[in-house]
Structures are given as structure tokens and as C-alpha cells.
mmCIF file of all heavy atoms in Angstrom:
data_model
loop_
_atom_site.group_PDB
_atom_site.id
_atom_site.type_symbol
_atom_site.label_atom_id
_atom_site.label_comp_id
_atom_site.label_asym_id
_atom_site.label_seq_id
_atom_site.Cartn_x
_atom_site.Cartn_y
_atom_site.Cartn_z
ATOM 1 N N GLU A 1 14.638 -12.831 1.661
ATOM 2 C CA GLU A 1 13.409 -12.120 1.329
ATOM 3 C C GLU A 1 12.343 -13.115 0.903
ATOM 4 O O GLU A 1 12.617 -14.062 0.164
ATOM 5 C CB GLU A 1 13.648 -11.122 0.185
ATOM 6 C CG GLU A 1 14.035 -9.757 0.656
ATOM 7 C CD GLU A 1 13.922 -8.716 -0.447
ATOM 8 O OE1 GLU A 1 14.200 -9.038 -1.607
ATOM 9 O OE2 GLU A 1 13.570 -7.588 -0.124
ATOM 10 N N LEU A 2 11.154 -12.895 1.387
ATOM 11 C CA LEU A 2 10.010 -13.736 1.039
ATOM 12 C C LEU A 2 8.914 -12.849 0.476
ATOM 13 O O LEU A 2 8.834 -11.665 0.797
ATOM 14 C CB LEU A 2 9.466 -14.443 2.286
ATOM 15 C CG LEU A 2 10.422 -15.301 3.086
ATOM 16 C CD1 LEU A 2 9.757 -15.776 4.367
ATOM 17 C CD2 LEU A 2 10.866 -16.488 2.254
ATOM 18 N N VAL A 3 8.054 -13.414 -0.328
ATOM 19 C CA VAL A 3 6.884 -12.696 -0.818
ATOM 20 C C VAL A 3 5.721 -13.042 0.095
ATOM 21 O O VAL A 3 5.401 -14.212 0.292
ATOM 22 C CB VAL A 3 6.561 -13.073 -2.278
ATOM 23 C CG1 VAL A 3 5.271 -12.404 -2.722
ATOM 24 C CG2 VAL A 3 7.692 -12.676 -3.188
ATOM 25 N N ILE A 4 5.115 -12.012 0.673
ATOM 26 C CA ILE A 4 3.975 -12.194 1.579
ATOM 27 C C ILE A 4 2.710 -11.767 0.848
ATOM 28 O O ILE A 4 2.597 -10.613 0.442
ATOM 29 C CB ILE A 4 4.113 -11.331 2.840
ATOM 30 C CG1 ILE A 4 5.376 -11.662 3.588
ATOM 31 C CG2 ILE A 4 2.896 -11.481 3.732
ATOM 32 C CD1 ILE A 4 5.623 -10.736 4.760
ATOM 33 N N PRO A 5 1.738 -12.677 0.674
ATOM 34 C CA PRO A 5 0.466 -12.270 0.075
ATOM 35 C C PRO A 5 -0.466 -11.716 1.144
ATOM 36 O O PRO A 5 -0.330 -12.001 2.326
ATOM 37 C CB PRO A 5 -0.079 -13.574 -0.511
ATOM 38 C CG PRO A 5 0.485 -14.631 0.389
ATOM 39 C CD PRO A 5 1.822 -14.119 0.865
ATOM 40 N N GLY A 6 -1.410 -10.932 0.723
ATOM 41 C CA GLY A 6 -2.414 -10.395 1.628
ATOM 42 C C GLY A 6 -3.497 -9.706 0.835
ATOM 43 O O GLY A 6 -3.599 -9.861 -0.385
ATOM 44 N N ARG A 7 -4.292 -8.932 1.530
ATOM 45 C CA ARG A 7 -5.311 -8.136 0.852
ATOM 46 C C ARG A 7 -5.502 -6.839 1.621
ATOM 47 O O ARG A 7 -5.027 -6.703 2.749
ATOM 48 C CB ARG A 7 -6.616 -8.910 0.695
ATOM 49 C CG ARG A 7 -7.299 -9.298 1.977
ATOM 50 C CD ARG A 7 -8.557 -10.144 1.691
ATOM 51 N NE ARG A 7 -9.122 -10.638 2.920
ATOM 52 C CZ ARG A 7 -9.960 -9.965 3.689
ATOM 53 N NH1 ARG A 7 -10.361 -8.770 3.343
ATOM 54 N NH2 ARG A 7 -10.417 -10.474 4.817
ATOM 55 N N LEU A 8 -6.180 -5.899 0.993
ATOM 56 C CA LEU A 8 -6.424 -4.603 1.623
ATOM 57 C C LEU A 8 -7.787 -4.598 2.290
ATOM 58 O O LEU A 8 -8.768 -5.085 1.717
ATOM 59 C CB LEU A 8 -6.373 -3.481 0.575
ATOM 60 C CG LEU A 8 -5.064 -3.301 -0.171
ATOM 61 C CD1 LEU A 8 -5.209 -2.206 -1.217
ATOM 62 C CD2 LEU A 8 -3.930 -2.985 0.776
ATOM 63 N N ASP A 9 -7.851 -4.038 3.489
ATOM 64 C CA ASP A 9 -9.117 -3.816 4.160
ATOM 65 C C ASP A 9 -9.899 -2.800 3.329
ATOM 66 O O ASP A 9 -9.300 -1.895 2.750
ATOM 67 C CB ASP A 9 -8.846 -3.267 5.574
ATOM 68 C CG ASP A 9 -10.115 -3.072 6.353
ATOM 69 O OD1 ASP A 9 -10.541 -4.026 7.019
ATOM 70 O OD2 ASP A 9 -10.679 -1.952 6.300
ATOM 71 N N PRO A 10 -11.223 -2.920 3.231
ATOM 72 C CA PRO A 10 -11.990 -1.939 2.459
ATOM 73 C C PRO A 10 -11.782 -0.496 2.943
ATOM 74 O O PRO A 10 -11.910 0.444 2.172
ATOM 75 C CB PRO A 10 -13.443 -2.364 2.645
ATOM 76 C CG PRO A 10 -13.387 -3.790 3.073
ATOM 77 C CD PRO A 10 -12.071 -3.981 3.768
ATOM 78 N N ASN A 11 -11.445 -0.327 4.210
ATOM 79 C CA ASN A 11 -11.232 1.016 4.771
ATOM 80 C C ASN A 11 -9.758 1.312 5.008
ATOM 81 O O ASN A 11 -9.407 2.067 5.915
ATOM 82 C CB ASN A 11 -12.000 1.161 6.089
ATOM 83 C CG ASN A 11 -13.486 0.992 5.881
ATOM 84 O OD1 ASN A 11 -14.061 1.532 4.955
ATOM 85 N ND2 ASN A 11 -14.115 0.205 6.747
ATOM 86 N N VAL A 12 -8.877 0.726 4.195
ATOM 87 C CA VAL A 12 -7.441 0.897 4.380
ATOM 88 C C VAL A 12 -7.059 2.376 4.294
ATOM 89 O O VAL A 12 -7.629 3.128 3.500
ATOM 90 C CB VAL A 12 -6.647 0.062 3.356
ATOM 91 C CG1 VAL A 12 -6.861 0.561 1.936
ATOM 92 C CG2 VAL A 12 -5.181 0.034 3.700
ATOM 93 N N GLU A 13 -6.129 2.785 5.156
ATOM 94 C CA GLU A 13 -5.579 4.132 5.107
ATOM 95 C C GLU A 13 -4.249 4.051 4.374
ATOM 96 O O GLU A 13 -3.396 3.230 4.714
ATOM 97 C CB GLU A 13 -5.342 4.677 6.517
ATOM 98 C CG GLU A 13 -6.600 4.864 7.320
ATOM 99 C CD GLU A 13 -6.275 5.367 8.722
ATOM 100 O OE1 GLU A 13 -5.320 4.858 9.355
ATOM 101 O OE2 GLU A 13 -6.969 6.280 9.167
ATOM 102 N N VAL A 14 -4.062 4.905 3.364
ATOM 103 C CA VAL A 14 -2.835 4.912 2.579
ATOM 104 C C VAL A 14 -2.211 6.298 2.678
ATOM 105 O O VAL A 14 -2.898 7.315 2.526
ATOM 106 C CB VAL A 14 -3.115 4.560 1.096
ATOM 107 C CG1 VAL A 14 -1.837 4.607 0.284
ATOM 108 C CG2 VAL A 14 -3.763 3.188 0.987
ATOM 109 N N PHE A 15 -0.908 6.317 2.938
ATOM 110 C CA PHE A 15 -0.154 7.567 3.023
ATOM 111 C C PHE A 15 1.099 7.430 2.167
ATOM 112 O O PHE A 15 1.772 6.405 2.220
ATOM 113 C CB PHE A 15 0.250 7.874 4.465
ATOM 114 C CG PHE A 15 -0.930 8.061 5.377
ATOM 115 C CD1 PHE A 15 -1.444 6.990 6.088
ATOM 116 C CD2 PHE A 15 -1.520 9.301 5.507
ATOM 117 C CE1 PHE A 15 -2.539 7.150 6.922
ATOM 118 C CE2 PHE A 15 -2.617 9.466 6.339
ATOM 119 C CZ PHE A 15 -3.125 8.403 7.049
ATOM 120 N N ILE A 16 1.397 8.466 1.386
ATOM 121 C CA ILE A 16 2.624 8.498 0.604
ATOM 122 C C ILE A 16 3.427 9.698 1.079
ATOM 123 O O ILE A 16 2.964 10.840 0.976
ATOM 124 C CB ILE A 16 2.341 8.580 -0.907
ATOM 125 C CG1 ILE A 16 1.560 7.332 -1.349
ATOM 126 C CG2 ILE A 16 3.646 8.729 -1.693
ATOM 127 C CD1 ILE A 16 1.151 7.313 -2.794
ATOM 128 N N ASN A 17 4.592 9.414 1.641
ATOM 129 C CA ASN A 17 5.445 10.447 2.251
ATOM 130 C C ASN A 17 4.648 11.320 3.224
ATOM 131 O O ASN A 17 4.805 12.531 3.264
ATOM 132 C CB ASN A 17 6.121 11.298 1.178
ATOM 133 C CG ASN A 17 7.143 10.508 0.398
ATOM 134 O OD1 ASN A 17 7.588 9.455 0.819
ATOM 135 N ND2 ASN A 17 7.518 11.009 -0.758
ATOM 136 N N GLY A 18 3.744 10.696 3.964
ATOM 137 C CA GLY A 18 2.973 11.384 4.988
ATOM 138 C C GLY A 18 1.680 12.010 4.503
ATOM 139 O O GLY A 18 0.853 12.420 5.302
ATOM 140 N N ALA A 19 1.456 12.095 3.197
ATOM 141 C CA ALA A 19 0.234 12.693 2.652
ATOM 142 C C ALA A 19 -0.789 11.595 2.354
ATOM 143 O O ALA A 19 -0.440 10.512 1.878
ATOM 144 C CB ALA A 19 0.547 13.469 1.380
ATOM 145 N N ALA A 20 -2.064 11.892 2.622
ATOM 146 C CA ALA A 20 -3.130 10.929 2.356
ATOM 147 C C ALA A 20 -3.173 10.590 0.869
ATOM 148 O O ALA A 20 -2.966 11.454 0.015
ATOM 149 C CB ALA A 20 -4.470 11.488 2.806
ATOM 150 N N ALA A 21 -3.408 9.316 0.568
ATOM 151 C CA ALA A 21 -3.451 8.838 -0.808
ATOM 152 C C ALA A 21 -4.491 7.728 -0.908
ATOM 153 O O ALA A 21 -5.200 7.444 0.069
ATOM 154 C CB ALA A 21 -2.072 8.334 -1.225
ATOM 155 N N THR A 22 -4.588 7.115 -2.071
ATOM 156 C CA THR A 22 -5.505 5.999 -2.284
ATOM 157 C C THR A 22 -4.699 4.756 -2.661
ATOM 158 O O THR A 22 -3.546 4.879 -3.079
ATOM 159 C CB THR A 22 -6.507 6.301 -3.418
ATOM 160 O OG1 THR A 22 -5.793 6.344 -4.661
ATOM 161 C CG2 THR A 22 -7.242 7.606 -3.176
ATOM 162 N N PRO A 23 -5.287 3.578 -2.575
ATOM 163 C CA PRO A 23 -4.572 2.373 -2.994
ATOM 164 C C PRO A 23 -4.124 2.432 -4.459
ATOM 165 O O PRO A 23 -3.103 1.849 -4.818
ATOM 166 C CB PRO A 23 -5.586 1.250 -2.763
ATOM 167 C CG PRO A 23 -6.465 1.760 -1.673
ATOM 168 C CD PRO A 23 -6.563 3.241 -1.914
ATOM 169 N N ASP A 24 -4.862 3.153 -5.300
ATOM 170 C CA ASP A 24 -4.483 3.268 -6.709
ATOM 171 C C ASP A 24 -3.182 4.045 -6.895
ATOM 172 O O ASP A 24 -2.553 3.951 -7.948
ATOM 173 C CB ASP A 24 -5.600 3.932 -7.511
ATOM 174 C CG ASP A 24 -6.821 3.033 -7.637
ATOM 175 O OD1 ASP A 24 -6.660 1.796 -7.563
ATOM 176 O OD2 ASP A 24 -7.937 3.563 -7.797
ATOM 177 N N ASP A 25 -2.776 4.825 -5.890
ATOM 178 C CA ASP A 25 -1.541 5.613 -5.984
ATOM 179 C C ASP A 25 -0.294 4.791 -5.674
ATOM 180 O O ASP A 25 0.820 5.239 -5.923
ATOM 181 C CB ASP A 25 -1.605 6.807 -5.018
ATOM 182 C CG ASP A 25 -2.746 7.758 -5.356
ATOM 183 O OD1 ASP A 25 -3.025 7.948 -6.552
ATOM 184 O OD2 ASP A 25 -3.352 8.313 -4.410
ATOM 185 N N VAL A 26 -0.461 3.603 -5.123
ATOM 186 C CA VAL A 26 0.674 2.755 -4.754
ATOM 187 C C VAL A 26 1.194 2.057 -6.006
ATOM 188 O O VAL A 26 0.418 1.604 -6.852
ATOM 189 C CB VAL A 26 0.267 1.730 -3.679
ATOM 190 C CG1 VAL A 26 1.428 0.824 -3.318
ATOM 191 C CG2 VAL A 26 -0.271 2.448 -2.445
ATOM 192 N N MET A 27 2.532 1.992 -6.129
ATOM 193 C CA MET A 27 3.156 1.398 -7.311
ATOM 194 C C MET A 27 4.063 0.225 -6.922
ATOM 195 O O MET A 27 4.515 0.123 -5.783
ATOM 196 C CB MET A 27 3.982 2.458 -8.048
ATOM 197 C CG MET A 27 3.148 3.625 -8.549
ATOM 198 S SD MET A 27 4.070 4.805 -9.541
ATOM 199 C CE MET A 27 5.251 5.459 -8.379
ATOM 200 N N ILE A 28 4.329 -0.633 -7.895
ATOM 201 C CA ILE A 28 5.253 -1.749 -7.709
ATOM 202 C C ILE A 28 6.617 -1.185 -7.316
ATOM 203 O O ILE A 28 7.038 -0.152 -7.826
ATOM 204 C CB ILE A 28 5.373 -2.579 -9.010
ATOM 205 C CG1 ILE A 28 4.012 -3.114 -9.461
ATOM 206 C CG2 ILE A 28 6.378 -3.723 -8.847
ATOM 207 C CD1 ILE A 28 3.333 -4.061 -8.501
ATOM 208 N N ASP A 29 7.299 -1.849 -6.400
ATOM 209 C CA ASP A 29 8.614 -1.493 -5.862
ATOM 210 C C ASP A 29 8.590 -0.323 -4.887
ATOM 211 O O ASP A 29 9.644 0.102 -4.421
ATOM 212 C CB ASP A 29 9.652 -1.222 -6.964
ATOM 213 C CG ASP A 29 10.151 -2.520 -7.584
ATOM 214 O OD1 ASP A 29 10.158 -3.548 -6.881
ATOM 215 O OD2 ASP A 29 10.530 -2.507 -8.759
ATOM 216 N N ASP A 30 7.415 0.207 -4.528
ATOM 217 C CA ASP A 30 7.345 1.225 -3.481
ATOM 218 C C ASP A 30 7.806 0.614 -2.163
ATOM 219 O O ASP A 30 7.457 -0.538 -1.857
ATOM 220 C CB ASP A 30 5.913 1.744 -3.301
ATOM 221 C CG ASP A 30 5.554 2.891 -4.232
ATOM 222 O OD1 ASP A 30 6.474 3.530 -4.781
ATOM 223 O OD2 ASP A 30 4.348 3.158 -4.389
ATOM 224 N N GLU A 31 8.580 1.376 -1.396
ATOM 225 C CA GLU A 31 8.949 0.961 -0.032
ATOM 226 C C GLU A 31 7.729 1.205 0.848
ATOM 227 O O GLU A 31 7.164 2.303 0.841
ATOM 228 C CB GLU A 31 10.133 1.778 0.479
ATOM 229 C CG GLU A 31 11.414 1.556 -0.282
ATOM 230 C CD GLU A 31 12.015 0.179 -0.040
ATOM 231 O OE1 GLU A 31 11.903 -0.338 1.080
ATOM 232 O OE2 GLU A 31 12.592 -0.358 -0.996
ATOM 233 N N VAL A 32 7.300 0.184 1.605
ATOM 234 C CA VAL A 32 6.090 0.302 2.407
ATOM 235 C C VAL A 32 6.296 -0.198 3.828
ATOM 236 O O VAL A 32 7.133 -1.056 4.093
ATOM 237 C CB VAL A 32 4.905 -0.486 1.783
ATOM 238 C CG1 VAL A 32 4.442 0.144 0.499
ATOM 239 C CG2 VAL A 32 5.239 -1.935 1.582
#
């Protein structure tokens, strides 16, 4: 396992279990 750094596009689409969400809804250790 490696840690990959990156950043979010300003228009990123976020979904949690198929429902629309925001980047603020994402938590540490979430499977993505």
C-alpha cells in the first residue's frame, strides 16, 4: 500500500453509497 497525494477539482462530483454528497461529507478511512 502506498499513500497517493492529490487534490480535488473545484467541480468534483462526490457520491456516498450512490447519493450525491459534498467533499465535506467524506471521512478518513472511507473506502473510495
Side-chain angles (χ1 to χ4, degrees):
E1 269 194 324
L2 304 173
V3 175
I4 301 174
R7 63 183 174 85
L8 299 177
D9 183 89
N11 299 315
V12 66
E13 295 178 317
V14 178
F15 298 92
I16 298 177
N17 292 343
T22 68
D24 291 334
D25 298 324
V26 178
M27 298 185 296
I28 302 298
D29 284 331
D30 273 342
E31 295 290 325
V32 291

